[in-house]
Amino acid sequence: MKTFKSRFVECTGYFFILLFCYASISKILDFENFQIQIGQSPLLSTYAGIVSYFTIIIEIAIAFLLAIPTTRRIGLYFSIGLMAAFTAYIYIILNYSEFIPCSCGGILEKMDWNTHLIFNICCILLAIISFFLEETDRNKNYKRTISVVLFMLVFSSGMVVLLYYTSEYMIKKENNFIRRFPHHGVVEIDSYDLKFNSFYFAGHDNDKIYLGNYTSPFLLIALSKDLKSYEQYVLKPENYKTFKWSSTKIKVAPPYIFLYDGKIPIIYKALIGQTEMKIVSVNDAYFSDLENVDNDHIALRYKSSNTGSNRLGLLNLSEDNRIKLDDSSLDGNGLFETDGQLLYSPFSESLIYVYYYKNRFDVFDKTISQKAIHHTIDTISRPKIKVVEMKNGIKKMAAPPQIVNAYATVQQDILFNRSNLIGRFELRKHWKNNSVVDMYNISKREYLGSFYVENRGDNKMTQMLATDQFFYTLIGSEIVRYRYAQVISKQLTRESPKPIKE
């Protein structure tokens, strides 16, 4: 005749059989989504492949052990270990993770993380009581039973902690192209229809977002940061009729506005709010991009006459010997291989060069004399481009290149990089409907996480601008404003960019 104690142990075994069978079958039926959830976990991203298979196997194995009376004791023992591991995972998520992901699916899909934690603790207590009853029936050595249970609890929890610390290091420092997506990284607040899709971000200050226009090169739009009002300026460069304009752009670096065309080459400068532009450089050097560094210095990207590759130089407006070119500043051969985007962070007083066709960006001091090499999380270290030389000597791409880093913006010490490549454990349907932005802490040399920017109809994001409080994108003819999730906003100290003294 079965006693209450034996029935209690038996019912506990059936409960865990039901729990583990349901959980494992749910994972198998939706394995791709389960593996993606593990891959984007803030704790186990690096081990997503191993953990996803191991979890299912161990759940099924424990269910079999519990179903056989002679191995039920062993099944209860491993149930304690597995539930302890799950509990440690949830505890770390709630208390030490940089962000809390969406709740897992299956039998617990309606529970939040705190409810998960309570449920798991109750399961551990149930398994411990049943194991204790089963074990003491065979062996009256209570101290040994308690020691065995404590060992399993410590071992299982310790393994999760070990996985957490090693995964954190590998994700931030030695990432093998696994992205982590904080829940709702950016949330759309509002938008403004510009009517045309020819605008680009020229810069920002404490109050306004500035837009240039490719088809109207002297037009500058100043939008309030809440997108509620705007002003329109037509810049008036001196002697503009004497030049043949072909590649004209505007850049705003408070308190200045720059108008430039590197093919002439010429650079104009004025204070924000003024429309009359004065020449500060003409025929000093041909260039393809610039960033204002301080009151007297402008960083240039130019084509080296020695190598035919893109390189960086510094224009000193206060000296007679104004230009300093550095043919060793960028790595790579050829114009296309060294193609990229030049940025400047007033917060850290550093220049950043993001390569388009490989997983790399270089960080320079403002004199371009010191360089630190950084890598993005994807694995393309060599550009996948094919170049042919025409009969007239001009080199062109023979096939569309594989773009790695499509566009970037910097705010304080955080680089926001729009990646063009899908990572591991990511759904292709998300890439069809969104653009992905990866974030890097420049000074700590760490990958911070990623977020999606949703398409608007058939239009994808073409440009982006990060400020200390909001994130802006250009999508089609609209400018869209987003607020940061807390996990992102806490990375920004909300200090204003260092203004350049007049």
Side-chain angles (χ1 to χ4, degrees):
M1 181 177 178
K2 291 185 177 181
T3 63
F4 171 78
K5 185 167 65 173
S6 63
R7 287 188 180 278
F8 182 85
V9 173
E10 187 177 359
C11 289
T12 301
Y14 290 148
F15 168 75
F16 280 110
I17 289 171
L18 177 63
L19 177 67
F20 294 141
C21 283
Y22 185 90
S24 59
I25 292 171
S26 297
K27 293 180 180 72
I28 292 170
L29 293 177
D30 196 12
F31 182 73
E32 182 185 21
N33 187 53
F34 169 62
Q35 195 172 55
I36 288 171
Q37 286 179 340
I38 297 295
Q40 295 176 4
S41 160
L43 266 68
L44 304 175
S45 306
T46 306
Y47 305 105
I50 297 172
V51 170
S52 59
Y53 287 104
F54 179 78
T55 303
I56 294 172
I57 292 170
I58 197 68
E59 286 176 340
I60 294 173
I62 292 175
F64 272 110
L65 291 172
L66 291 168
I68 304 170
T70 55
T71 58
R72 184 176 295 138
R73 181 174 59 91
I74 300 173
L76 288 170
Y77 186 60
F78 283 114
S79 297
I80 295 170
L82 186 60
M83 295 308 298
F86 290 160
T87 304
Y89 173 80
I90 294 173
Y91 181 81
I92 295 172
I93 284 282
L94 290 173
N95 293 278
Y96 299 100
S97 173
E98 292 181 352
F99 66 94
I100 298 176
C102 297
S103 182
C104 60
I107 198 169
L108 306 176
E109 62 182 350
K110 301 301 180 184
M111 295 184 185
D112 60 27
W113 285 96
N114 287 297
T115 308
H116 274 191
L117 185 63
I118 295 170
F119 176 83
N120 283 6
I121 292 172
C122 292
C123 287
I124 291 173
L125 294 174
L126 184 62
I128 289 174
I129 293 169
S130 297
F131 176 75
F132 196 87
L133 294 174
E134 184 80 1
E135 183 71 8
T136 52
D137 255 0
R138 300 166 178 266
N139 184 353
K140 298 298 183 181
N141 190 339
Y142 298 104
K143 288 185 178 179
R144 179 183 179 278
T145 304
I146 292 171
S147 299
V148 168
V149 170
L150 287 175
F151 171 79
M152 178 56 76
L153 290 172
V154 172
F155 176 78
S156 299
S157 302
M159 287 300 297
V160 174
V161 172
L162 179 63
L163 290 175
Y164 164 61
Y165 279 110
T166 55
S167 182
E168 277 290 283
Y169 176 81
M170 293 177 71
I171 282 290
K172 291 184 175 182
K173 301 290 187 179
E174 299 178 3
N175 193 293
N176 55 351
F177 209 8
I178 299 174
R179 288 192 172 94
R180 296 200 312 201
F181 292 90
H183 192 48
H184 299 304
V186 293
V187 179
E188 181 180 336
I189 303 175
D190 46 27
S191 62
Y192 183 84
D193 191 354
L194 298 165
K195 307 301 182 184
F196 301 98
N197 63 0
S198 53
F199 287 96
Y200 61 89
F201 286 117
H204 72 97
D205 59 20
N206 290 332
D207 304 313
K208 295 182 176 65
I209 301 296
Y210 296 94
L211 302 171
N213 192 300
Y214 291 112
T215 57
S216 300
F218 299 156
L219 177 66
L220 179 66
I221 301 293
L223 269 168
S224 61
K225 285 195 170 180
D226 61 6
L227 307 185
K228 300 299 182 184
S229 61
Y230 79 95
E231 297 173 279
Q232 181 173 298
Y233 303 94
V234 177
L235 303 180
K236 300 173 182 177
E238 62 177 339
N239 301 327
Y240 77 95
K241 290 184 179 180
T242 62
F243 302 106
K244 187 177 180 180
W245 302 88
S246 61
S247 185
T248 311
K249 286 194 71 177
I250 299 170
K251 191 153 289 186
V252 177
Y256 299 115
I257 305 170
F258 292 86
L259 176 72
Y260 61 94
D261 192 322
K263 292 186 177 180
I264 292 178
I266 193 168
I267 302 173
Y268 289 84
K269 180 179 177 182
L271 289 171
I272 292 175
Q274 296 180 350
T275 57
E276 301 291 335
M277 306 288 294
K278 298 294 182 181
I279 296 174
V280 293
S281 171
V282 63
N283 294 327
D284 285 312
Y286 292 92
F287 61 94
S288 54
D289 199 5
L290 68 74
E291 283 288 339
N292 190 49
V293 173
D294 56 36
N295 190 48
D296 294 322
H297 297 87
I298 297 173
L300 304 175
R301 184 185 73 167
Y302 68 96
K303 180 182 176 182
S304 169
S305 58
N306 298 321
T307 64
S309 305
N310 289 299
R311 297 292 186 252
L312 300 184
L314 202 62
L315 177 63
N316 190 333
L317 302 176
S318 63
E319 294 182 359
D320 293 332
N321 188 14
R322 296 158 68 88
I323 195 73
K324 171 191 171 184
L325 304 179
D326 187 350
D327 273 6
S328 63
S329 52
L330 301 178
D331 294 336
N333 298 313
L335 195 64
F336 301 116
E337 185 176 334
T338 55
D339 200 5
Q341 183 182 356
L342 180 62
L343 302 166
Y344 180 69
S345 170
F347 179 83
S348 59
E349 296 185 333
S350 57
L351 288 156
I352 302 103
Y353 191 80
V354 184
Y355 293 86
Y356 287 141
Y357 306 118
K358 57 185 175 183
N359 63 342
R360 179 170 157 180
F361 62 95
D362 296 342
V363 180
F364 301 83
D365 66 357
K366 64 180 185 179
T367 64
I368 319 181
S369 59
Q370 297 180 8
K371 177 172 72 172
I373 296 173
H374 298 242
H375 292 282
T376 54
I377 60 174
D378 62 88
T379 56
I380 298 180
S381 58
R382 296 180 64 85
K384 295 184 177 181
I385 54 178
K386 189 176 181 180
V387 179
V388 294
E389 187 170 345
M390 311 299 287
K391 291 182 179 179
N392 57 5
I394 297 176
K395 293 182 179 179
K396 291 187 176 182
M397 289 192 181
Q402 185 170 30
I403 299 173
V404 176
N405 306 307
Y407 191 80
T409 180
V410 64
Q411 173 59 29
Q412 297 178 17
D413 216 19
I414 310 301
L415 179 72
F416 296 79
N417 180 54
R418 182 192 165 192
S419 175
N420 217 42
L421 300 176
I422 188 169
R424 297 173 60 193
F425 311 117
E426 294 176 30
L427 292 173
R428 291 197 172 274
K429 67 179 182 180
H430 289 165
W431 276 77
K432 182 179 179 181
N433 301 319
N434 301 274
S435 298
V436 69
V437 178
D438 300 326
M439 297 173 292
Y440 302 89
N441 186 301
I442 296 171
S443 61
K444 295 181 180 179
R445 304 172 72 93
E446 290 181 352
Y447 164 68
L448 298 176
S450 305
F451 59 85
Y452 286 119
V453 175
E454 188 175 0
N455 299 347
R456 300 177 78 83
D458 295 329
N459 296 314
K460 276 184 170 286
M461 174 181 73
T462 53
Q463 286 199 13
M464 59 188 180
L465 177 70
T467 71
D468 58 348
Q469 296 185 31
F470 302 107
F471 187 79
Y472 298 85
T473 64
L474 290 176
I475 307 178
S477 63
E478 292 182 283
I479 179 172
V480 187
R481 180 170 69 126
Y482 308 80
R483 64 172 174 82
Y484 299 112
Q486 186 178 5
V487 67
I488 299 176
S489 61
K490 72 180 183 181
Q491 300 286 343
L492 301 170
T493 62
R494 297 194 181 280
E495 292 183 17
S496 301
K498 296 176 182 177
I500 300 166
K501 294 181 180 180
E502 297 181 36

